[in-house]
Amino acid sequence: MKTKKQKKQSQLYEVWRQLKKNKLAVVSMFVLLAIILVAVFAPVLAPYDYKEQNAMQSNLGSTAEHLLGTDKLGRDILSRIIYGARNSLIMGFSAIAIGAVIGITIGAISGYFGGWTDNIIMRLLDIYQAVPMLLLCIALAAILGPSLRNAIIALGVGMVPGYARMMRASVMTVRDKEYVESAKSKNCSTARIIIKHIIPNAIGPMIVQITMGVGSCILSGAMLSFIGLGVQPPAAEWGAMISEARATIRQYPTQCLYPGLCVMVSVLACNLLGDGLRDALDPRLRN
Amino acid sequence: MLRYIGKRLLMLIPVLIAISLVVLIIIDLTPGDPARILLGTQATEEQVQELRDELGLNDPFFVRWWNYITGIITRGDFGTSMMTKRPVAKEMLERFRFTLFLVIIGTCFAVCVGIPVGIFAATHQHTWKDSLAIFLSLIAISMPGFWFSLLVIRLFGVKLQILPISGVDTWKGWILPCISMALGTIAMLARQMRSDMLETLRQDYIITARAKGLSERRVVYRHALKNALIPVITIVGGMFGGSLGGSLITEVIFSIPGLGQYTMTGLNNRDYPVIQSSILIISCMFSVILLIVDLLYAVVDPRIRSQFARKKAKGKEKKDEDKKAEETVAAV
């Protein structure tokens, strides 16, 4: 037991050692951590409340009191961006959690059992994937009704088939390994084999996809909010803020600029970290 | 080859039937009575029931589904829009060309820009030009498309005032929507093209070509490009299909009267025949495009083409199919 733990640690350490070489990935990791911390401590950091209106001070530019100005209702944009990080990140992480958990489970079952189970699941996924993903998310969110929870469900469900297929391919490569055979010979239950032996060994390639998936979920989530199907006013969310600023883009373009930049930076950080992780996890690049 | 096409086309039918079924189930399970929405809160219960009868909403689930499917097959009837009271098929036909044009021009534009950028980056590896291209494409991928649309509207439409910001009455109106549509595709194509090109340039036959004393130009464009393009074709196809979904947002932002905007209006009004039919049509187009991509793949790659000839390679063919499906998923 002790040796196993040590080995796990050293594996993590090895990945970290590789990741450290990639400056961009490390920077992205810290940027992401910073955004998460900002989201967690939003009430402490934000100078104003996100729904505090001040009709006397609407559409201000940058001032000493309002660093990024105010929107048309006189709400402080900086505070709204800080609070918006909460909703945007909740959307990104929860959606990916739903999509990845369901997708990985389905993919593992399909890949492990093969045969007709695999065939049925794959044909069902074919049907699923005949609808373009964006359209599927928008339609689901619209039919379920606009709210943060429904947007998360719609995004999560949209992510399932991609992860299921990747997991299936990954499971197929480990299914016939000796340690699985050994577990079987010891009368290990199928559920235990899948959970204890197959998933941990097959999940490696998924980590990169999940990291990048957080980014794409933040992006799609912002899009859903932009068309009014995500977070509802007066709650702050980056996509919703862009949508609100759209009407006044002629006069006050910066109101639209800042939340978009936030989305871009977080998604960029996820993508760069994912790229870095891919290299770090690739044993061929190790020396 | 023909048998393969036939098989794939036949497989399309159950998929489309299943989609229509699933859409109907989802619509059925959601709260909110369309008749009630149409009539408003002041309508009496009798009026609502009457309208429900008229719309066929009181029929059992499978009866409604069967009527819908047979209507499409026998009469080309996709139902009547609850809002406009016009046949959905006719309305979709009017709008179809806008979406198709937008998607085709957007994809062509992306191919014309993305592939050269990718080749350029690959042939200038380890220089600042490569780093810049990679960096810009990463930024483009990370940008929300709708935000970029608003930025180009602000820049070209409001500040410089050289392009119209909405409507497609003139050819100028198409420029901004197409650029917005193409941005993400350009970036992904450039990245894919670059990595494929780098991979190909390391192959033995490239060393042979160089050893023969061919010019670098000839090596890159005649020998490497042909082989590096093969994976890119799948990506282009996947993106072409995916942009059918992406056009929803672009059409709404630039007020283009296409299929995407139609779907969005239908979704907002809970106009069920519209939702059902537009999802069905877009999915149908998407599936056909993916089929065309698979066939193109066989046309350009002799290694795959030979598999169609040899029957025994059936297992391998299936494996390739799955692999391709995964690539497409990653692309979308």
Side-chain angles (χ1 to χ4, degrees):
Chain A
M1 201 57 208
K2 203 180 170 190
T3 50
K4 196 182 166 193
K5 200 178 172 191
Q6 214 168 11
K7 191 171 176 253
K8 248 188 188 158
Q9 263 177 354
S10 70
Q11 201 178 353
L12 253 181
Y13 176 74
E14 181 65 24
V15 170
W16 169 239
R17 210 173 59 88
Q18 293 289 331
L19 192 66
K20 259 197 315 195
K21 288 184 197 157
N22 188 340
K23 294 269 162 10
L24 266 177
V26 176
V27 171
S28 315
M29 203 170 80
F30 283 113
V31 168
L32 264 185
L33 276 179
I35 297 173
I36 293 172
L37 285 178
V38 165
V40 171
F41 294 107
V44 186
L45 290 168
Y48 300 88
D49 191 63
Y50 67 91
K51 50 182 189 294
E52 188 184 308
Q53 300 184 7
N54 188 343
M56 305 294 286
Q57 293 188 312
S58 61
N59 292 323
L60 287 184
S62 294
T63 61
E65 286 133 52
H66 301 282
L67 279 178
L68 298 182
T70 55
D71 67 4
K72 61 176 180 248
L73 295 174
R75 295 176 295 194
D76 183 49
I77 290 182
L78 179 63
S79 307
R80 281 181 72 73
I81 284 183
I82 291 174
Y83 274 98
R86 281 190 161 182
N87 285 322
S88 293
L89 290 188
I90 286 174
M91 198 123 84
F93 282 102
S94 330
I96 206 71
I98 295 176
V101 168
I102 302 179
I104 285 176
T105 315
I106 294 180
I109 292 172
S110 174
Y112 180 74
F113 289 107
W116 60 268
T117 322
D118 182 36
N119 232 326
I120 290 176
I121 292 178
M122 281 302 121
R123 294 296 83 79
L124 285 179
L125 288 184
D126 279 348
I127 295 168
Y128 216 137
Q129 287 187 309
V131 186
M133 196 200 123
L134 260 181
L135 176 64
L136 183 73
C137 290
I138 294 174
L140 268 182
I143 294 174
L144 290 175
S147 74
L148 176 62
R149 192 199 62 190
N150 290 342
I152 290 172
I153 295 174
L155 286 177
V157 168
M159 304 297 281
V160 166
Y163 286 109
R165 274 188 201 276
M166 272 180 263
M167 190 64 190
R168 170 177 173 265
S170 182
V171 165
M172 282 173 142
T173 58
V174 300
R175 182 177 59 186
D176 300 322
K177 290 272 163 68
E178 282 86 354
Y179 52 81
V180 178
E181 208 171 310
S182 135
K184 267 186 206 157
S185 69
K186 283 189 282 185
N187 198 19
C188 195
S189 73
T190 311
R192 199 182 151 82
I193 291 179
I194 292 182
I195 292 167
K196 275 279 188 188
H197 299 282
I198 299 275
I199 290 183
N201 283 300
I203 211 158
M206 304 291 295
I207 292 172
V208 178
Q209 294 301 328
I210 290 174
T211 316
M212 291 183 162
V214 172
S216 63
C217 272
I218 293 178
L219 211 58
S220 316
M223 181 210 65
L224 285 181
S225 294
F226 176 74
I227 52 177
L229 293 174
V231 178
Q232 295 302 302
E237 201 270 349
W238 296 336
M241 287 176 73
I242 299 175
S243 168
E244 282 160 19
R246 189 183 155 198
T248 51
I249 192 164
R250 284 169 180 276
Q251 300 88 359
Y252 313 106
T254 50
Q255 291 182 10
C256 176
L257 192 69
Y258 298 130
L261 277 177
C262 292
V263 177
M264 198 178 90
V265 169
S266 2
V267 178
L268 191 62
C270 289
N271 283 339
L272 285 172
L273 182 62
D275 268 350
L277 275 177
R278 181 181 3 235
D279 295 343
L281 287 169
D282 193 344
R284 281 175 299 177
L285 294 175
R286 267 182 212 164
N287 40 37
Chain B
M1 190 76 185
L2 268 175
R3 265 187 59 181
Y4 178 71
I5 300 175
K7 209 176 88 189
R8 285 288 301 265
L9 281 175
L10 278 178
M11 263 167 63
L12 204 60
I13 296 170
V15 167
L16 289 177
I17 289 177
I19 288 174
S20 70
L21 203 60
V22 170
V23 173
L24 204 61
I25 291 173
I26 295 173
I27 287 173
D28 230 46
L29 289 178
T30 46
D33 182 353
R36 176 59 81 186
I37 295 169
L38 268 177
L39 291 170
T41 41
Q42 265 129 40
T44 59
E45 190 57 33
E46 285 88 58
Q47 282 174 306
V48 173
Q49 280 307 324
E50 212 170 289
L51 188 67
R52 280 184 68 89
D53 271 334
E54 198 186 309
L55 295 172
L57 288 171
N58 284 334
D59 292 337
F61 177 81
F62 279 104
V63 174
R64 265 182 295 148
W65 177 71
W66 180 250
N67 288 341
Y68 180 66
I69 291 291
T70 46
I72 292 175
I73 295 170
T74 53
R75 286 166 277 136
D77 177 12
F78 282 85
T80 311
S81 163
M82 292 180 182
M83 288 290 154
T84 60
K85 306 271 182 258
R86 295 180 60 217
V88 175
K90 207 172 161 196
E91 289 199 315
M92 283 200 296
L93 208 64
E94 284 164 11
R95 290 159 173 272
F96 182 69
R97 60 195 171 100
F98 289 102
T99 302
L100 198 66
F101 190 72
L102 179 65
V103 171
I104 289 177
I105 298 290
T107 311
C108 289
F109 180 59
V111 168
C112 294
V113 179
I115 289 181
V117 169
I119 297 172
F120 178 81
T123 48
H124 292 79
Q125 203 195 5
H126 305 307
T127 66
W128 64 270
K129 293 169 190 162
D130 179 33
S131 314
L132 183 72
I134 287 304
F135 184 68
L136 285 182
S137 63
L138 250 176
I139 287 204
I141 288 178
S142 310
M143 224 190 269
F146 57 88
W147 183 61
F148 179 74
S149 312
L150 293 181
L151 292 187
V152 292
I153 285 180
R154 165 74 197 174
L155 179 63
F156 294 105
V158 179
K159 197 135 196 192
L160 302 175
Q161 301 209 328
I162 46 175
L163 292 169
I165 57 172
S166 73
V168 282
D169 308 323
T170 57
W171 63 270
K172 275 185 174 173
W174 287 102
I175 297 178
L176 291 183
C178 287
I179 292 177
S180 314
M181 281 282 281
L183 179 78
T185 320
I186 291 176
M188 282 192 229
L189 270 181
R191 280 164 65 89
Q192 182 70 33
M193 189 69 225
R194 174 180 175 272
S195 65
D196 288 339
M197 197 68 179
L198 287 176
E199 187 84 34
T200 315
L201 284 174
R202 283 193 211 109
Q203 302 292 326
D204 288 344
Y205 53 80
I206 296 297
I207 299 176
T208 314
R210 287 213 172 108
K212 279 198 298 188
L214 293 181
S215 67
E216 187 62 26
R217 228 190 142 79
R218 217 178 149 75
V219 170
V220 170
Y221 290 100
R222 283 301 292 262
H223 292 251
L225 183 60
K226 257 192 195 164
N227 290 291
L229 266 180
I230 294 171
V232 174
I233 288 177
T234 2
I235 305 281
V236 173
M239 283 173 174
F240 184 78
S243 54
L244 283 173
S247 71
L248 257 75
I249 309 290
T250 313
E251 283 176 23
V252 170
I253 292 179
F254 290 96
S255 38
I256 298 171
L259 215 50
Q261 203 193 41
Y262 188 58
T263 316
M264 282 304 291
T265 324
L267 284 167
N268 288 334
N269 295 336
R270 302 209 151 226
D271 195 339
Y272 294 134
V274 173
I275 302 175
Q276 214 172 347
S277 305
S278 41
I279 291 180
L280 200 63
I281 288 292
I282 293 179
S283 311
C284 185
M285 280 162 64
F286 188 50
S287 306
V288 170
I289 290 167
L290 290 187
L291 171 63
I292 295 174
V293 171
D294 276 0
L295 297 178
L296 261 183
Y297 210 71
V299 171
V300 290
D301 194 343
R303 282 168 298 184
I304 295 174
R305 194 166 48 215
S306 68
Q307 281 173 18
F308 289 110
R310 274 183 295 138
K311 286 220 175 91
K312 63 170 184 174
K314 213 175 170 189
K316 192 150 182 266
E317 177 191 317
K318 194 165 155 33
K319 220 162 107 194
D320 275 347
E321 243 173 72
D322 283 343
K323 206 177 136 223
K324 265 184 283 167
E326 269 141 36
E327 278 165 10
T328 328
V329 169
V332 175

